[in-house]
Amino acid sequence: MFSKKLIQLMQPETRVCVLTGAGVSAESGVPTFRGAHGLWQKFRPEELANVDAFLNNPELVLAWYQYRRELIDNIEPNPGHYSLAKMEQYFADFTLVTQNVDGLHRRAGSQKVYELHGNILHNKCFQCGKAIQRVDFVEGEELPRCECGGLIRPDVVWFGEMLPEKTLTTAASKAVEADLFLSIGTSAIVYPAAGLPLTAQRNGAYLVEINPEQTDLSRTANEVLSGQSGEILPKLLEATGIAL
Ligand code: BV8
Ligand code: ZN
């Protein structure tokens, strides 16, 4: 299942950088964005995860985030998340970058997680930017507001918004330095996150993709492991002699 090259690279001194997307949380029961899934099939993330949608229809956008928060409250990380937490301990230089906003990597034990698109469990004031802890939005009730009067929004990066500067630059430099880059559970179409695997490969990293489907990355990756990350990652650890 795994090439000799990949097994060779699975040594503690290899510099590893990982990019995860919604696919890593799929086996925990979190619907992916662009796959076919329930309630929100009628919307594309680009239609809801942006400032205009929020300003035009804050109730709809806040209801979408409330639905996702409540979903996340009732699920657990899966073996894919736990495997990545194990890898962080095994490799001397391991960087986990995620596009996910569900906080599941941290719940699985990953200590250092670079959240490129923020975290749905954190909020901020749309007006003054003040960080605000969890706020539950109840449809039909008053929109949650900051003491300055501004609307409270999830502290995630919407389309058209800049990614957190420091997080992105660290992720980019780790991609450049990586010997091994794993792109896991992402359709690799949202930039600048989707640029990281390519940057890594251009700078000499061995690029491995883990995804049950083909993506834009599949034809350039050095190795494609077709399947579910919750199944493949524990097998990769086993093949390396790392007990999950
Ligand atoms: C910015 C947070 C600029 C909110 C999200 C045209 C060309 C290039 C770029 C653009 C363009 N037009 C616009 C842009 C820029 C835009 C962009 O890239 N758009 C795309 C759609 C073309 N990017 C932006 O706007 C970014 N900002 O560029 O700012 C700027 C410059 C100057 C000044 C100001 C601004 C901001 C992007 C961040 C948007 N926020 N989310 C929230 O989550 O609510 S993006 C959203 O998509 C999520 O974060 C998600 O993580 C991300 C990527 O999706 P994936 O994670 O890949 O999920 P997806 O469902 O797509 O795929 C899941 C995969 O898993 C599938 O392949 C599936 O096969 C696989 N899978 C399923 N099950 C499993 C599995 N894999 C493994 N195991 C399984 N079991
Ligand atoms: Zn405020």
Side-chain angles (χ1 to χ4, degrees):
M1 168 173 221
F2 306 113
S3 70
K4 266 224 316 290
K5 169 86 179 156
L6 177 53
I7 296 299
Q8 259 166 9
L9 281 166
M10 290 295 285
Q11 299 304 324
E13 61 282 356
T14 300
R15 291 169 300 188
V16 180
C17 189
V18 178
L19 173 69
T20 62
V24 163
S25 298
E27 290 154 91
S28 295
V30 184
T32 58
F33 286 89
R34 295 168 185 88
H37 57 77
L39 190 55
W40 298 96
Q41 207 147 14
K42 54 184 181 298
F43 295 101
R44 288 175 337 113
E46 295 80 9
E47 287 168 338
L48 286 177
N50 72 62
V51 172
D52 294 341
F54 178 66
L55 292 178
N56 293 335
N57 192 341
E59 289 80 3
L60 175 67
V61 173
L62 291 179
W64 181 47
Y65 282 97
Q66 187 60 28
Y67 154 73
R68 292 168 63 192
R69 251 193 298 268
E70 284 165 6
L71 199 82
I72 292 165
D73 287 347
N74 300 303
I75 55 164
E76 293 299 320
N78 65 63
H81 294 108
Y82 291 115
S83 301
L84 290 165
K86 204 81 199 147
M87 284 190 189
E88 183 181 36
Q89 291 153 12
Y90 175 76
F91 291 104
D93 183 345
F94 180 85
T95 305
L96 176 59
V97 182
T98 189
Q99 300 168 88
N100 299 342
V101 296
D102 57 29
L104 286 178
H105 284 302
R106 229 178 245 109
R107 278 178 52 192
S110 291
Q111 310 282 319
K112 190 99 203 75
V113 184
Y114 292 92
E115 293 176 316
L116 287 179
H117 296 161
N119 186 317
I120 198 172
L121 302 176
H122 302 153
N123 294 281
K124 65 183 178 185
C125 172
F126 189 75
Q127 218 62 37
C128 70
K130 181 168 174 281
I132 295 170
Q133 275 323 312
R134 173 150 179 166
V135 166
D136 285 302
F137 170 66
V138 180
E139 283 183 75
E141 287 198 359
E142 273 295 295
L143 289 169
R145 285 189 184 274
C146 165
E147 64 238 3
C148 80
L151 284 174
I152 295 178
R153 58 165 282 184
D155 192 4
V156 296
V157 179
W158 279 335
F159 285 97
E161 291 187 320
M162 295 295 280
L163 275 61
E165 182 70 24
K166 209 171 146 328
T167 309
L168 183 59
T169 24
T170 310
S173 56
K174 287 293 187 178
V176 167
E177 294 158 12
D179 307 309
L180 171 63
F181 193 100
L182 306 179
S183 176
I184 312 175
T186 181
S187 54
I189 58 167
V190 174
Y191 283 79
L196 293 171
L198 301 168
T199 304
Q201 188 182 47
R202 254 203 312 275
N203 285 277
Y206 186 74
L207 175 57
V208 177
E209 177 179 54
I210 300 178
N211 194 319
E213 316 278 330
Q214 292 290 309
T215 71
D216 291 357
L217 219 52
S218 308
R219 63 180 174 283
T220 45
N222 299 93
E223 189 163 345
V224 176
L225 302 171
S226 305
Q228 315 237 36
S229 45
E231 288 161 20
I232 290 179
L233 287 170
K235 286 200 183 102
L236 179 57
L237 293 196
E238 208 182 309
T240 313
I242 313 172
L244 180 52

